Structures are given as structure tokens and as C-alpha cells.
Amino acid sequence: MPLAWYSPQPERQEIMNEAFFDKKEYKPLDRVDGRLKVTGAAKYSAEYPLPNMAFAVLVGSRIAKGTIKSIDSKAAERAPGVLAVISHLNAIKVPGYQPKGEHPSEPSTNGQPLRVFFDNKIVSNDQPIVAVVATSLEKAQFGASLVKIQYTKEQHKTDLEANAGDAKLAASAKKNPKSPTADYERGQKDAFESAPVKFEAEYVLPTEVHNPMELQSIIAHWEADNKLTVYDKVQGTKMTQKNFAKEWNIPEENVKCIATFVGGAFGNGLHNWPHETAAIIAAKQVKRPVKLVLTREQMFTMVGYRPRTWQKIQVGATKEGKLVAINHQSIGQTSSYEEFTESTLMQTRMMYASPSVSTRYRILPLNLATPIWMRGPGEATGAFALESAMDEVAHAIGMDPIDFRLANYTESDPDKNMPWSTKYMRECYEEGKKRIGWENRKLKPGEVRDGEWLVGYGMGTGTFGANRNSATVHAELDKEGNLVMHCAITDIGPGTGTAMVQIASNTTGIPTDKITFHLGNSEFPNAGLQGGSSTVNSVGPAVLAACNALKEQLITMAAAKGNSAFTSAKPDDLMFDKSELQLAGKSAKTTLADLFKQNNIEKIETTNESKPDENRNKYSMNAFSMHFAMVHVHPFTGQVRVKKIVCCADAGTIVSPKTAESQMIGGATGGIGMALTEDAVMDHRFGRYVTKDLGDYHVPVHADVPDIDVYFVNKPDLLADPVGSKGLGEIAIIGVAPAIANAVFNATGKRVRELPITPDKLI
Ligand code: MOS
């Protein structure tokens, strides 16, 4: 029975290595919602045509710090169709707003989320300060153009490097000395100083902006005075429900959040933002549903970003390539009102077997909006420094960078001092080398040419915690064998519904076209955020539990009807084969229709929760990736063409090979953007971005993206969760940018330590 490996096992890797794991089991499946998406039938947050809808447009501040002196809204109020001009002067009181410093933190950031329309303070440029609400979008836009605002300007600070001296330890570090933000030390303090080979460098990652295709949007609808429905582009329907219930001081069950389809998010839906509250206030004030869609420009200033981060790294090694010490420090920017932190330095603590490691993580509050996690948050930033530095040290000692990494391979987690639940990076090194053509790489840079182009090869590794949260799934099976499931989880694009349908089909034998997975609604059973690569690891096990519970009900029903073969059967023994229920290894079978008829029922149902277990205290659980890049660099123009990328991932079970491959391709594409093009450039005289649309802020387009070859180790990690998955979303991007930077060095001998690697940095 191929399903055997589904059962949780107490032992370690050996079990998972067994041949009983059949990779052919999960077949590539087209997205269950693919047709809806490509035909435009999938409804995004702004696409619910509610009756009597009004439209809001936000006006942002033109200064980065100061106060609002006056708002002249007379012309706007008189403009055709304008229903209200809302600002701190006339906004209704939001009951959840507290005086400064007393506001409860949102889970995602520490501090005081921006209270829109609360007072006259300006803390960042383009901070939303006025909403114009009208009967059409155009009328609201016209009204917004008529609002005149005067400011009292104060000196702002937006420049990370210029203000680096003010960087500080995050509150999260003070609270918890074990947190990723706390100072960390292992081994010998001065080990670096006495290392035979010493390397030190600084790296800078610019501000990057998520820029998903779908603009952030919300329709806020007060169905009654204390009953709110939001169609909202978010990554957590339950998070949104909780936050707005708290903000409006109403019971959670009175808030409904619908996010059936999300057109990409990459992390900017992991926090509720001021524009959402602005729409909710507006809806309350005009007593109509209000739709608010951010402009592309507002996507740069109102819904988070990957913070600009400065890093310094010191690597000490022996001449033979054994690491002696790594000291890694970083400063990331945050807003003046929330402390956003991320795990920039975690990878440095656990990736390599360095006896001495220290990390120092600092944040710098500036007159900017709050950043938020962006795909591979923290780790992708840290990996740029660490994996570039590893390449630089390998070069300094004349060693192949893969051999250097293998010489410092960790067989257990040197940070937590625990065994890995699973780690199959050796397979990734082997396979990646082969696929990229590593044998064509020369140790000495600038040695390989293809016509007039310089050719280079590079690689970078990534890791991310195999996160798991509790999740609940409701499942219903009818007499025709249709399986319908519900869960509040969102799908921001990876194909969650498809993955869950595949897990259910694989567990039950029910064909995928008879299974439906409904998601993206806070009224469905509980699930956490779609973030941190945790969905398949969290919701997958709940699907598994629900399917097994249904099977148990069927077994009990069959046994009760005198079918003795079923009496001692276990869920793993029972499989659907078309409409028949068969017991493995026995000739016993029955049909679903008969079983339901005998019991006089139309359907069976179950609700099951699945949560992380105690294995998490015994094993260190990480997904790993390794990215290889082959680039061409033009010696005269400095143009970089990425010619090939190979992504290797040890992410546990791959439950949906097709969507998983797409996810890796998407992550690698994001990595190309990180390495070569993405840069939110700020004019610090005004504290305002100058690249604030997709014409100036460059994300890779088809012409920039080469063949991306994806390899999955595809061995289950049953210690992490019963599906065996370790998560994929983040590791798809973590390590890509350094792989490209390292390849550029290998091609040219030029080391670029400040991303993006634009042609001017190479000539
Ligand atoms: Mo991701 S940054 O967890 O959406």
C-alpha cells in the first residue's frame, strides 16, 4: 500500500529514506482554479459589485515629518458626486484606537500601528491623511485632486546609512534573549581575530517592494451598526477578523473577512494596514459599502516593503577551508511607530559548522512607513551577505565554493544543538552541480567566454524554518462520493486549493475532480496566515486528519452492517476505487451508495484540527534550498543576462509537483529581481521614492527570465508533520540573489556588494 509513509513514525531519516516512499504518488495536476483565474471569473477583493457602493480615494502627505496645519476641503466637498471628505478633523472615533503607546500590538509587528485619521501628525511621506468618498471612482479621484493641505514641516530622517549610529536593539530582543533579534554568541569571542584566513565585507540590500499584480484593495460593508463584512486582500482571514473586531470593539463573529482569491501578495497581506481602516471608517460615515483600491504608487508607501538593510560580515577560516568564526551584524530600517524585525541573521547561526559565531541585529527607526515581511523575509537578506561571503572566502583560499561549503556541512543544528528532522542538502549539491554544468566553471574569474560574453557560474544556499501552526478542516462526503472541504486559509497564489485536493485524493483515492476545497473566508474553520511557508505543513495535516476521520466513519458503518473484514480495519487500509470502498490486502469491498443507503444517510461529515507536536522540541526543522546560476556579462556594457538557473530544494514531500515547480520558478524570478533590478530609490531631500511604478521599479519580465530548472529531493519529513512537507514559498527565493552575484563575480572578477547589480557597477 503506497500510503504507508503517511503514518507518523517515531524514528528518524532512515525510515524516510526507505524505498516505500514512491515519488510517483503525487502527480502533476493542473490548478483546480486555473480556469477561473485565466478567464477572469475568479473574484478579487475589489470585484464584488455591492449595491449602493461608494468609492474612496486616499490623499497622502507631501512631507515625511511634521504636522498638518490645515485642510481645505471646500472645493472637494462641492465637487459632483462627493459624499464625504474624511480626515482627522471629522473622522468618527475608532473605539479601538488608544492614546499613544497603549495600543495593543498587532501580531506581525511590535508597537503602535498607524492610526489613520487619528491626529495631525505626519510620520512618513505619503501617509494617508484624507479620504475622499464619492459615488464613482472618477468623482472620488477628482475630489481628491481638489483637497488643499498645508503642513508644518519638521526635519525628517529617511537615510539608513546616514543615521546608522541611531540603530538599536529591538524590543523583541530585550524581551526574549533567544529571539532571532537578540545578540548571539557561541564559541570563542575573539576567534575571528586569530583565524589564519580573515575576510570582512559590508553588504547592502536596497528597499524592495512586493508589487504583486493585484493592487491592495478592500470593500468595507457595515451590514448593521456592529456587523462588518470586508472583502479584503489579505493573507489571513482570521487575523483580519480578529484585528477589526478589536479595532471596532465588536464581537469577532460580527466581523467577516472574505479573501477567496488573492492576486499575489508576497507578504504585504500579513498585516492590516491604514487603508483598510480608512475604508471601514468611510463606510461607517457615508453609510454605504465603500471600495478602496490603492494606486500602484501607494503600493510603495502604504502596505510595507522589504527594509533596506546594511550588513557587515567577518569570516575566519583555516587555509584548508574549515570555518573558524563568523561574525555577522545587520541594521534594518523600520518606522518610527512600529518595530519591524525579521530573521536576517538566523541562517548564519545554523547553516555551517563554524565553532564560533556571533550575530548582532539592530533596527533603525526612520520617517518611513512600517516594513513587512517580503518573500523569504530576513533570510533572503541575510543569505545575500552570508552566501556572498562564503563565495569570497572560497575564492580567497582557492577552493571550489561547493567544496568549501561541504567542508563545513552540519550534520546537526549547531545553533539549537538538536538533530535535524531531515536534511538532504548533499543531494542538492550533487544534482545542482550536474544540472548547471558546474564542471565548466573555472576557479579563476573571467576565464570562460561565449563569443564576446563573459560566462560565470555561482551558487547560493537558503533555508527557512519548517513552520507549522494549528489548522482545522471541515470535510463532507456525499453518497455520490463528492468530497467538499472548508478552511479559512487564504491562497495568495501558490495553489493551496490544488495542493489540498491532491492530499485528500491521495489519502482517500477519490479522484481529484470530485474534491473541492473552499478557502479564504473567516467563517470557515480556523487557520493561520498564509505566510512563512507554513500552509501545506499546517493545513495539509488537517486535511489528512479529516480524510482519515471520514474513513473511520465509513469503516465503522461497514463493520456495523456485518462486514466483518472491516471490523479491525484502519483508515490507511481503506481506499476508494471509483465508487467502491476497498480494503487493502483483503477482498472485502462495499460501495459508498450501499453503505449510505443501509444507514439511511445522505452524507457524512467531520471537523478536525491538527497541531504541531512535541517533535518540535526534539528536532530542528528546516527546509533547505540551493540555487545555481549561469550568467553572461557583457564586458563593455556591463549587461548581465541570466542564462540558466537551477533550483534544488529539500522541502519534504512535494504534494503538488506542478504548482510546487511554479512556486520555485516564481521565487527564482523574484531572486533575479533582487539581484539585478529591484530598487526603491529614495530622494532623501523629500523622503520620497523616485521609483514608484513598474516603469521605474523594475521587476523581471519574460525576457529577463531564463530556463529555470527545478529539482526536488522530495523525501518526506514525517517528524515535521504527517504530510511530510517542510514548506517551499520562502526557500524558493532565499539564496538566488547571491547565486547570481557569485556568478557575476565568477564571470568578471568584480564583486558587487550592494544590490541590485546594475551595469554601472560592472563597468
Ligand atoms: Mo510570506 S513573506 O510569508 O508572504
Side-chain angles (χ1 to χ4, degrees):
M1 200 61 206
L3 286 171
W5 57 266
Y6 259 140
S7 315
Q9 303 284 345
E11 298 87 359
R12 287 197 58 205
Q13 281 97 314
E14 298 74 35
I15 297 162
M16 304 170 191
N17 271 327
E18 291 289 325
F20 70 157
F21 173 57
D22 176 3
K23 284 184 191 173
K24 286 193 290 292
E25 219 182 326
Y26 279 112
K27 296 198 180 68
L29 177 70
D30 289 348
R31 273 171 196 262
V32 295
D33 51 5
R35 178 172 289 271
L36 292 176
K37 286 193 166 186
V38 299
T39 55
K43 273 194 187 185
Y44 292 86
S45 297
E47 297 184 318
Y48 290 81
L50 302 190
N52 204 28
M53 188 131 72
F55 300 80
V57 166
L58 288 174
V59 179
S61 70
R62 308 300 293 178
I63 63 166
K65 190 182 180 199
T67 47
I68 301 167
K69 207 178 348 178
S70 66
I71 297 175
D72 178 357
S73 57
K74 277 193 224 69
E77 278 157 10
R78 281 198 302 266
V82 170
L83 301 167
V85 179
I86 301 169
S87 70
H88 70 283
L89 297 172
N90 64 345
I92 51 164
K93 203 169 145 22
V94 177
Y97 279 178
Q98 301 294 328
K100 196 164 178 55
E102 289 172 26
H103 195 287
S105 301
E106 285 200 40
S108 47
T109 48
N110 184 60
Q112 163 73 71
L114 187 79
R115 292 156 296 181
V116 68
F117 311 146
F118 178 69
D119 58 21
N120 67 348
K121 297 234 166 10
I122 304 292
V123 290
S124 67
N125 212 318
D126 208 27
Q127 174 185 324
I129 50 178
V130 173
V132 176
V133 193
T135 51
S136 76
L137 173 62
E138 293 76 11
K139 285 171 180 159
Q141 284 168 333
F142 180 62
S145 75
L146 301 174
V147 178
K148 291 192 187 67
I149 303 163
Q150 291 198 307
Y151 306 93
T152 306
K153 224 172 132 177
E154 290 169 37
Q155 190 56 47
H156 63 259
K157 285 183 183 173
T158 52
D159 191 333
L160 177 82
E161 283 92 329
N163 296 287
D166 298 337
K168 57 173 193 173
L169 205 60
S172 53
K174 290 181 200 148
K175 248 185 273 167
N176 174 13
K178 289 205 158 144
S179 100
T181 57
D183 287 356
Y184 172 85
E185 206 97 56
R186 79 161 177 261
Q188 230 181 295
K189 235 187 171 76
D190 53 356
F192 171 74
E193 300 306 327
S194 53
V197 178
K198 288 201 279 189
F199 168 80
E200 179 176 313
E202 294 176 20
Y203 300 86
V204 174
L205 193 93
T207 295
E208 292 174 354
V209 183
H210 307 72
N211 270 316
M213 274 207 287
E214 184 198 11
L215 300 164
Q216 230 81 4
S217 53
I218 178 171
I219 295 171
H221 179 30
W222 287 97
E223 294 183 39
D225 221 23
N226 65 351
K227 209 160 177 286
L228 173 69
T229 295
V230 291
Y231 302 82
D232 201 358
K233 181 190 168 150
V234 292
Q235 286 174 251
T237 57
K238 291 283 187 186
M239 163 196 82
T240 304
Q241 177 186 45
K242 279 194 185 72
N243 280 340
F244 291 144
K246 201 160 65 180
E247 186 175 84
W248 292 91
N249 198 19
I250 52 180
E252 272 177 29
E253 60 270 22
N254 285 17
V255 180
K256 179 154 116 182
C257 173
I258 295 161
T260 313
F261 290 97
V262 176
F266 309 112
N268 70 4
L270 293 171
H271 188 296
N272 291 115
W273 300 104
H275 74 276
E276 297 169 75
T277 299
I280 297 169
I281 291 173
K284 194 123 196 158
Q285 265 174 261
V286 303
K287 298 189 168 55
R288 293 164 68 151
V290 167
K291 183 198 284 197
L292 196 161
V293 182
L294 293 189
T295 62
R296 182 57 68 181
E297 185 173 338
Q298 289 169 337
M299 295 289 286
F300 283 73
T301 50
M302 296 186 190
V303 287
Y305 54 89
R306 192 194 297 279
R308 185 177 180 92
T309 302
W310 169 91
Q311 299 177 72
K312 180 172 163 183
I313 195 160
Q314 295 177 319
V315 181
T318 66
K319 292 199 171 75
E320 296 72 40
K322 280 277 180 204
L323 285 169
V324 173
I326 309 177
N327 301 323
H328 191 172
Q329 49 179 308
S330 75
I331 304 173
Q333 65 194 19
T334 187
S335 66
S336 57
Y337 47 94
E338 279 170 292
E339 290 195 348
F340 171 76
T341 59
E342 53 187 0
S343 301
T344 310
L345 306 179
M346 283 308 278
Q347 189 161 334
T348 302
R349 298 184 188 177
M350 44 63 78
M351 185 59 95
Y352 298 110
S354 176
S356 297
V357 172
S358 79
T359 65
R360 298 276 177 278
Y361 179 88
R362 297 290 180 273
I363 49 170
L364 177 66
L366 292 170
N367 296 116
L368 298 166
T370 305
I372 197 67
W373 297 300
M374 180 165 154
R375 199 169 193 177
E379 277 82 351
T381 305
F384 169 57
L386 178 65
E387 291 297 298
S388 294
M390 289 296 284
D391 198 74
E392 300 208 47
V393 177
H395 176 71
I397 56 182
M399 208 168 163
D400 179 281
I402 295 179
D403 294 341
F404 181 44
R405 285 171 174 83
L406 282 168
N408 296 284
Y409 196 82
T410 60
E411 299 294 354
S412 60
D413 182 341
D415 168 23
K416 297 196 185 111
N417 231 336
M418 292 198 289
W420 305 112
S421 53
T422 53
K423 179 179 178 183
Y424 300 110
M425 284 185 87
R426 291 186 199 281
E427 283 89 329
C428 292
Y429 284 118
E430 281 315 305
E431 194 65 28
K433 268 168 89 164
K434 240 189 296 176
R435 291 186 182 211
I436 198 74
W438 195 255
E439 76 278 5
N440 298 319
R441 182 185 189 272
K442 297 270 180 292
L443 265 189
K444 194 160 168 255
E447 293 283 289
V448 185
R449 279 191 186 247
D450 185 341
E452 58 182 359
W453 295 83
L454 295 161
V455 179
Y457 295 82
M459 53 82 59
T461 43
T463 187
F464 200 79
N467 296 327
R468 182 180 174 196
N469 306 307
S470 60
T472 305
V473 165
H474 177 260
E476 223 176 79
L477 179 69
D478 72 15
K479 61 181 177 190
E480 272 93 43
N482 297 302
L483 174 62
V484 178
M485 296 176 286
H486 285 85
C487 178
I489 192 74
T490 53
D491 176 15
I492 63 174
T496 299
T498 311
M500 297 310 147
V501 164
Q502 291 201 257
I503 292 171
S505 175
N506 202 292
T507 313
T508 57
I510 300 173
T512 53
D513 58 5
K514 295 194 87 171
I515 306 176
T516 316
F517 190 83
H518 292 287
L519 48 67
N521 189 321
S522 62
E523 295 196 316
F524 299 164
N526 186 53
L529 302 165
Q530 177 152 81
S533 304
S534 62
T535 303
V536 173
N537 322 347
S538 305
V539 182
V543 167
L544 202 63
C547 289
N548 282 330
L550 289 178
K551 286 200 210 174
E552 267 172 37
Q553 290 187 33
L554 295 170
I555 289 167
T556 308
M557 281 159 63
K561 289 294 163 194
N563 200 332
S564 63
F566 283 86
T567 312
S568 60
K570 297 267 178 306
D572 273 356
D573 305 330
L574 185 77
M575 284 300 267
F576 278 73
D577 185 14
K578 303 211 172 68
S579 59
E580 279 187 344
L581 298 171
Q582 305 196 347
L583 275 187
K586 304 212 171 86
S587 54
K589 55 174 80 164
T590 178
T591 72
L592 192 65
D594 285 350
L595 206 52
F596 277 34
K597 209 163 155 192
Q598 287 162 2
N599 287 275
N600 197 23
I601 50 173
E602 297 287 310
K603 62 174 191 193
I604 55 172
E605 59 185 307
T606 180
T607 301
N608 296 77
E609 187 185 29
S610 180
K611 338 180 202 204
D613 58 28
E614 73 284 356
N615 281 336
R616 293 200 165 244
N617 307 324
K618 295 189 255 173
Y619 299 95
S620 185
M621 300 180 181
N622 277 67
F624 298 96
S625 62
M626 199 171 296
H627 302 279
F628 295 78
M630 195 264 272
V631 303
H632 282 185
V633 183
H634 198 280
F636 303 140
T637 65
Q639 187 190 14
V640 178
R641 302 295 305 166
V642 181
K643 300 303 281 186
K644 186 172 174 67
I645 287 191
V646 176
C647 303
C648 302
D650 164 21
T653 312
I654 300 302
V655 301
S656 179
K658 190 170 179 177
T659 58
E661 186 185 14
S662 297
Q663 196 170 13
M664 291 300 281
I665 293 169
T669 303
I672 295 172
M674 260 182 112
L676 301 180
T677 61
E678 293 187 50
D679 190 1
V681 178
M682 178 157 283
D683 184 338
H684 293 296
R685 293 173 303 168
F686 309 104
R688 205 169 177 88
Y689 289 113
V690 290
T691 56
K692 53 195 174 188
D693 57 41
L694 295 178
D696 289 324
Y697 180 95
H698 294 159
V699 296
V701 297
H702 283 296
D704 299 315
V705 182
D707 175 31
I708 295 173
D709 183 9
V710 177
Y711 167 73
F712 293 119
V713 175
N714 200 5
K715 289 184 181 164
D717 187 335
L718 297 170
L719 294 167
D721 64 78
V723 169
S725 161
K726 298 200 284 184
L728 208 57
E730 323 300 331
I731 58 164
I733 191 171
I734 301 168
V736 177
I740 294 170
N742 294 340
V744 168
F745 174 77
N746 183 244
T748 63
K750 286 190 182 125
R751 180 62 66 174
V752 180
R753 300 193 182 94
E754 178 166 353
L755 293 181
I757 305 170
T758 44
D760 55 296
K761 294 175 184 165
L762 291 174
I763 50 176

